[in-house]
Amino acid sequence: MSLDLSMFDRFAVTYQPEDIIFCEHEPGDTFYLIQSGRVQIVKIIDDIEKNIDILHPGEIFGEMAILEEAPRSASAVALDQVRALEFNRENFEILMKGTPQIALKLLKLFTKRIYDQKRRFLILTLNDEQAKVADVFLMLSETQHIEDPDKDERVFNIAVDDIAHWAGMSPERSRAVLNHFVSQRRVEIFPDKIVVKNINDFARFVNSKRRQQVTD
Amino acid sequence: MPKAVNYKANSIVYFRGDTSEKVYILKSGRVSLNYNDIETGQEMHDLIQTGEFFGVKSALGKYPREETAVVLTDATMISFSVPEFEQIALQNTRIIMKMLKVFSNQLRRIHKQVRNLLMSGAQTNDPEAGLFKIGQYYLKSRKFKQAVYALRRYLTYYPAGKFSSEASSLLESAENGSTGNLKNISRPVPSNKGNQLTEVAKSYYNAVSLFSQEHYLEALKEFQKIIKENGGGEYEAKAQYEIGRCYFNLTKYDQCIKHYTLMIQKYPKHPDLVDALYHVGNSYESMGNKAKAVGFYKKILSMAREDLPVYRKSKKALKKIEG
């Protein structure tokens, strides 16, 4: 980023590789702009540390803290020696007014988050557990890059726990629903991926359930 | 180039589901955004005010339009491409700030809606248990540095929590670089001292938490008690450092200086040595003794690693004094 941020030097913080910047579940009131080094976002699910994202210089993380002091939804860990600017709600306005480029970046991040949350909300409003799980696949397919859009089959590099997370269901219930789909030959489960045989079939299924719910 | 476009009454600017890179600002006439409320499914009509932007979210986020923009009376609007919009916004921060407010309200609202749905479902969220489990996880995976962080955080936020005694004993193991009683002990721990140590840890973190809540006098008393009752050991050294910080925050600068001077004699290799020196320098500065303060700040710059916050703080303090 070719921005002059030297006026924010007093907000600079540094971390050594493997340092935790913040930890899942801890209350958060700060957010960060990476200046150098990479930051990994991880979540511990069922005793496995799962990589959610790797962020690079110029990227913002922890931004939900600007809005509310909710517990962090994931941990941020320094991958390299990281230098970042640390802000809180009090000095947020100074930053935004001083550097509209960052404000614009945050604006874009918010539009994406709003869309993702709305999409997730739609999944959660479904009453039917099968429809919920199917809709998780639909949501994931919407942001996939597909080489051949005419192909019905979709491959997802996710685990059952991810599905459970998005569907707001327990891993056991999610697994039961997936096994049911497997028995219907609509889905195949592999150790490293889940294959949906016909994504359009899932779309029709979810849409009909959603319509049914509205008329009920 | 941004251009003015005229629309007849009852025409459509864009349909829900369209993908487009256009952002609009309404100059004259009436335009309504029609969509279904995601919670109730009810059809909503939001009227656009003249001078108001619309279509921003989907254009910036590169996702399909979530509403249909219907022209109610003959209208004129200016259409921008995303780069054109960005250019205007960068020159007029007010636009961005206003939109940030609107978007952050929307985001907060949808977040709350999602959380409510999750709460009513089978999943319950317990941040206290969650944080403790993270500490446990890292200790089990022998990632001691991370375990120390998570467990310390746990004890700071929940000093009298459900897992606090377990957390202090795990923290002690993590600080010693062993997995402690999580698995069978791989490193011998003096068994006769085991329980006693845990008690010290507990009172130490209790005092730390008092400090973080700015109850400096109470924290000071707790730290002094730790030294009196459990002299020696790593918690004494830690408590010694914290006592100096308490004095400093209580603005008892001369006592802070005296305390740290003694501490440095007793623990010449104290892990928090440089930070102690900084507090000494800062105390002198607060007492108006600039020459002494400068001496300490310079000493810190000569011995601390450049990437440490204390290095930066000292440099800044020095600059302030010397101009």
Side-chain angles (χ1 to χ4, degrees):
Chain A
M1 209 168 30
S2 57
L3 280 176
D4 180 18
L5 294 169
S6 54
M7 65 207 257
F8 298 118
D9 270 355
R10 65 197 152 115
F11 300 123
V13 280
T14 45
Y15 298 92
Q16 300 307 313
E18 297 199 338
D19 273 359
I20 297 187
I21 299 167
F22 56 71
C23 185
E24 195 179 339
H25 304 296
E26 86 172 276
D29 57 0
T30 50
F31 73 104
Y32 301 82
L33 172 73
I34 308 173
Q35 293 199 289
S36 63
R38 293 167 304 158
V39 172
Q40 188 180 24
I41 306 296
V42 297
K43 249 179 113 68
I44 293 163
I45 302 172
D46 276 358
D47 261 7
I48 296 165
E49 194 173 22
K50 266 194 68 93
N51 172 46
I52 306 287
D53 210 350
I54 290 177
L55 305 175
H56 297 90
E59 291 192 271
I60 294 172
F61 64 96
E63 74 285 346
M64 279 311 291
I66 313 163
L67 308 181
E68 52 195 355
E69 229 167 279
R72 302 282 190 191
S73 59
S75 304
V77 184
L79 267 187
D80 312 306
Q81 177 157 314
V82 168
R83 183 184 147 99
L85 298 180
E86 183 187 64
F87 297 98
N88 56 31
R89 251 177 286 180
E90 282 71 52
N91 51 38
F92 169 68
E93 289 236 353
I94 313 174
L95 169 71
M96 292 300 136
K97 288 199 171 126
T99 43
Q101 289 91 336
I102 297 179
L104 194 59
K105 196 182 277 247
L106 194 63
L107 197 66
K108 286 186 178 173
L109 197 61
F110 277 0
T111 64
K112 191 177 162 355
R113 294 274 190 274
I114 293 171
Y115 183 75
D116 290 348
Q117 288 294 324
K118 275 194 181 160
R119 188 63 186 87
R120 185 165 186 213
F121 187 85
L122 285 179
I123 297 174
L124 296 173
T125 49
L126 286 163
N127 297 329
D128 182 274
E129 287 194 334
Q130 291 184 19
K132 277 190 189 178
V133 171
D135 202 23
V136 170
F137 287 114
L138 287 179
M139 175 194 73
L140 295 170
S141 76
E142 284 156 18
T143 48
Q144 260 183 341
H145 290 284
I146 301 136
E147 288 138 40
D148 181 5
D150 292 332
K151 231 171 94 182
D152 292 331
E153 192 178 282
R154 294 279 188 279
V155 180
F156 301 94
N157 297 314
I158 51 165
V160 177
D161 287 327
D162 298 301
I163 309 245
H165 165 73
W166 287 109
M169 288 160 53
S170 69
E172 298 75 45
R173 289 302 310 152
S174 311
R175 191 173 294 279
V177 169
L178 279 168
N179 286 340
H180 176 72
F181 283 148
V182 170
S183 72
Q184 293 179 319
R185 299 184 191 284
R186 290 164 114 173
V187 160
E188 277 181 82
I189 302 180
F190 297 92
D192 58 334
K193 62 183 179 189
I194 297 177
V195 176
V196 172
K197 294 300 200 181
N198 186 340
I199 197 77
N200 296 315
D201 158 57
F202 268 11
R204 282 189 294 272
F205 172 62
V206 171
N207 284 335
S208 80
K209 285 283 177 196
R210 198 162 266 141
R211 266 198 304 275
Q212 223 173 50
Q213 236 170 275
V214 174
T215 50
D216 278 351
Chain B
M1 280 292 281
K3 55 173 192 270
V5 199
N6 297 315
Y7 283 87
K8 288 272 176 221
N10 299 317
S11 59
I12 304 286
V13 186
Y14 55 74
F15 285 97
R16 184 159 127 187
D18 283 358
T19 41
S20 157
E21 255 237 336
K22 288 267 181 288
V23 173
Y24 301 89
I25 185 166
L26 183 62
K27 271 199 86 180
S28 65
R30 285 155 65 87
V31 173
S32 166
L33 299 184
N34 298 352
Y35 59 95
N36 296 88
D37 183 90
I38 57 167
E39 223 165 358
T40 61
Q42 206 187 340
E43 168 112 4
M44 306 291 285
H45 302 265
D46 284 358
L47 218 54
I48 301 290
Q49 308 289 321
T50 34
E52 196 181 335
F53 279 100
F54 63 99
V56 178
K57 237 179 349 181
S58 44
L60 283 188
K62 296 193 173 75
Y63 53 77
R65 302 286 193 197
E66 291 177 308
E67 68 284 318
T68 299
V70 184
V71 181
L72 301 179
T73 63
D74 289 1
T76 305
M77 54 210 81
I78 301 171
S79 90
F80 303 88
S81 67
V82 169
E84 284 162 358
F85 168 77
E86 286 182 4
Q87 211 175 0
I88 289 169
L90 285 176
Q91 281 156 15
N92 190 344
T93 332
R94 224 166 34 91
I95 298 178
I96 310 185
M97 291 308 286
K98 210 173 148 193
M99 286 188 177
L100 266 178
K101 274 212 178 94
V102 173
F103 287 2
S104 61
N105 278 332
Q106 290 181 4
L107 188 52
R108 196 183 298 142
R109 197 166 140 245
I110 179 75
H111 244 264
K112 212 168 139 197
Q113 287 169 325
V114 167
R115 245 201 332 261
N116 287 344
L117 277 184
L118 283 175
M119 292 298 195
S120 60
Q123 273 193 351
T124 48
N125 264 329
D126 180 356
E128 182 186 343
L131 190 53
F132 175 68
K133 277 191 191 144
I134 304 262
Q136 257 182 334
Y137 165 82
Y138 279 125
L139 189 56
K140 213 160 62 184
S141 344
R142 308 191 66 84
K143 290 189 165 180
F144 299 118
K145 203 163 136 186
Q146 288 89 337
V148 166
Y149 178 93
L151 292 166
R152 271 199 189 143
R153 281 301 156 127
Y154 177 85
L155 288 164
T156 310
Y157 294 119
Y158 310 102
K162 276 178 277 183
F163 309 99
S164 60
S165 64
E166 215 178 324
S168 8
S169 88
L170 293 185
L171 175 59
E172 215 174 287
S173 317
E175 283 175 331
N176 294 328
S178 84
T179 50
N181 55 12
L182 255 185
K183 279 182 205 157
N184 278 336
I185 302 158
S186 51
R187 252 179 51 167
V189 171
S191 55
N192 58 337
K193 265 193 134 188
N195 279 333
Q196 195 193 339
L197 279 175
T198 308
E199 283 302 310
V200 187
K202 218 153 99 185
S203 34
Y204 174 77
Y205 287 103
N206 187 23
V208 168
S209 132
L210 282 170
F211 184 93
S212 65
Q213 292 164 41
E214 300 179 10
H215 301 312
Y216 302 120
L217 199 60
E218 288 89 338
L220 176 65
K221 282 180 188 153
E222 284 296 310
F223 286 124
Q224 284 169 334
K225 217 167 102 190
I226 290 170
I227 291 174
K228 208 169 144 199
E229 289 173 8
N230 305 281
E234 58 165 318
Y235 285 99
E236 162 156 11
K238 286 182 181 184
Q240 292 283 12
Y241 171 68
E242 299 297 339
I243 286 173
R245 284 175 73 204
C246 290
Y247 282 132
F248 182 82
N249 281 290
L250 290 165
T251 66
K252 297 193 169 167
Y253 301 121
D254 48 346
Q255 270 175 290
C256 174
I257 295 169
K258 215 153 69 191
H259 178 81
Y260 277 138
T261 312
L262 287 172
M263 184 189 96
I264 293 164
Q265 281 165 11
K266 186 166 179 188
Y267 298 97
K269 287 192 172 164
H270 195 287
D272 298 312
L273 180 68
V274 190
D275 292 275
L277 291 176
Y278 176 77
H279 280 101
V280 174
N282 214 336
S283 293
Y284 277 120
E285 192 186 339
S286 305
M287 289 161 70
N289 192 338
K290 285 186 181 169
K292 280 263 192 192
V294 166
F296 276 94
Y297 291 142
K298 280 191 173 156
K299 170 111 180 126
I300 293 166
L301 295 184
S302 71
M303 60 194 281
R305 275 212 330 267
E306 282 184 32
D307 58 327
L308 290 174
V310 65
Y311 182 93
R312 214 170 46 242
K313 282 195 285 186
S314 305
K315 200 167 174 177
K316 212 180 130 195
L318 200 57
K319 212 169 149 188
K320 210 177 94 197
I321 298 177
E322 295 188 322

